[in-house]
């Protein structure tokens, strides 16, 4: 990685780590969503990459994913439960709140902020493992989104971090999205000025990446009728 790319990576990572938690939880179930008949509820849990930091909620990936599901004949509601700046510990602390949303499926994309803070990947893995265990005990189907860290954090750390997601997925027999930001990470034209949060077009690609894994989860999950 040359000096310019290294500087851009540091700036981008700082931006993600410092995202204002005021973005916080999105409305759990907008009235227009409640009014529409749905086959079930998908809750997208994560940090600013789920919340859609810097964009209208309409352009964040959960909203775009819901539209794509509708287009493909899957009338499922997708709730945006992303909180900017959240670590995996924060996500674990609110897993019981997530359950109050009565999800049939949870898309879990967390841990990026752990990496930016240099948190031991073993801690991240333990937190994600506990969240998954709690969700599965309530018969919630979990789709786990894999994340990666930039190379300038060190080879050993980035390898250990990336290994967390397939390890948890294998342990719990989960549907794994190998890399949530595939085709988007590192492409300036698909990210906002901070270099790490996707634009609306970037999130379109993210939603297309996630879509087949979510459809697989739907096929494994009995419809709840919303």
């Amino acid at each position: 990685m040359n000096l310019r790319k290294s500087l851009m990576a540091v700036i981008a990572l700082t931006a993600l780590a410092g995202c204002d938690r005021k973005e916080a939880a999105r409305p759990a179930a907008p009235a227009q969503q409640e009014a529409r008949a749905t086959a079930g509820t998908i809750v997208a849990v994560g940090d600013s990459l789920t919340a859609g930091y810097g964009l209208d909620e309409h352009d964040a990936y959960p909203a775009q994913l819901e539209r794509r599901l509708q287009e493909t004949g899957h009338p499922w509601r997708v709730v945006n439960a992303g909180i900017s700046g959240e670590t995996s510990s924060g996500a674990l602390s609110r897993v019981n709140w997530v359950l109050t949303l009565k999800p049939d499926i949870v898309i879990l994309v967390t841990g990026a902020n752990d990496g930016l803070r240099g948190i031991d990947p073993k801690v991240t893995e333990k937190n994600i493992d506990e969240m998954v265990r709690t969700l599965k005990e309530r018969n919630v189907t979990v789709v786990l989104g894999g994340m990666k860290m930039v190379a300038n954090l060190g080879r050993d750390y980035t390898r250990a971090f990336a290994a967390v997601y397939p390890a948890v997925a294998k342990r719990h027999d989960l549907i794994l999205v190998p890399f949530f930001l595939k085709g988007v990470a590192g492409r300036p034209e698909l990210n906002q000025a901070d270099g790490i949060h996707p634009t609306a077009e970037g999130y379109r690609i993210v939603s297309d990446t996630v879509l087949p894994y979510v459809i697989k989860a739907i096929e494994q999950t009995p419809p709840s009728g919303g």
Side-chain angles (χ1 to χ4, degrees), residues 55 59-60 64 190 192 197-207:
L55 298 177
D59 292 322
Q64 295 209 45
L190 295 175
Q192 298 175 53
H197 291 99
T199 60
E201 175 60 18
Y203 275 126
R204 183 192 66 76
I205 294 173
V206 168
S207 65

Side-chain angles (χ1 to χ4, degrees), residues 164-179:
V164 164
Y165 301 90
V168 175
K170 182 178 181 180
R171 189 177 304 126
H172 293 281
D173 193 24
L174 304 180
I175 296 170
L176 174 68
V177 182
F179 184 34

Side-chain angles (χ1 to χ4, degrees), residues 19-213:
C19 286
D20 191 342
R21 292 180 68 90
K22 287 189 295 184
E23 284 279 311
R26 304 286 183 149
Q32 63 268 32
Q33 289 183 318
E34 291 184 320
R36 184 172 61 241
T38 60
T41 298
I42 300 167
V43 177
V45 178
D47 50 36
S48 59
L49 295 172
T50 294
Y53 178 81
L55 298 177
D56 227 29
E57 183 177 5
H58 181 80
D59 292 322
Y61 104 80
Q64 295 209 45
L65 176 63
E66 180 176 283
R67 293 195 294 275
R68 292 289 287 118
L69 286 168
Q70 297 286 329
E71 292 167 1
T72 56
H74 300 88
W76 284 63
R77 181 167 61 111
V78 182
V79 177
N80 188 335
I83 295 183
S84 293
E86 185 173 72
T87 62
S88 64
S89 295
L92 175 58
S93 73
R94 65 188 180 102
V95 68
N96 288 326
W97 174 81
V98 170
L99 287 168
T100 68
L101 302 176
K102 302 188 182 304
D104 300 289
I105 297 170
V106 162
I107 307 171
L108 181 59
V109 185
T110 189
N113 286 311
D114 295 40
L116 303 180
R117 289 163 171 78
I119 293 172
D120 187 339
K122 291 180 181 178
V123 174
T124 304
E125 183 171 343
K126 181 179 179 182
N127 288 336
I128 295 175
D129 193 90
E130 182 64 17
M131 279 185 278
V132 170
R133 185 190 63 77
T134 301
L135 292 167
K136 290 192 71 176
E137 284 179 352
R138 296 289 291 274
N139 298 316
V140 176
T141 302
V142 179
V143 177
L144 182 62
M147 291 299 299
K148 298 178 182 180
M149 283 290 106
V150 295
N152 63 348
L153 291 177
R155 182 177 297 178
D156 290 345
Y157 187 89
T158 56
R159 283 180 176 174
F161 181 87
V164 164
Y165 301 90
V168 175
K170 182 178 181 180
R171 189 177 304 126
H172 293 281
D173 193 24
L174 304 180
I175 296 170
L176 174 68
V177 182
F179 184 34
F180 178 72
L181 294 174
K182 179 183 177 181
V184 177
R187 296 182 59 183
E189 72 277 15
L190 295 175
N191 288 279
Q192 298 175 53
D194 61 23
I196 201 164
H197 291 99
T199 60
E201 175 60 18
Y203 275 126
R204 183 192 66 76
I205 294 173
V206 168
S207 65
D208 283 347
T209 294
V210 173
L211 180 65
Y213 299 96

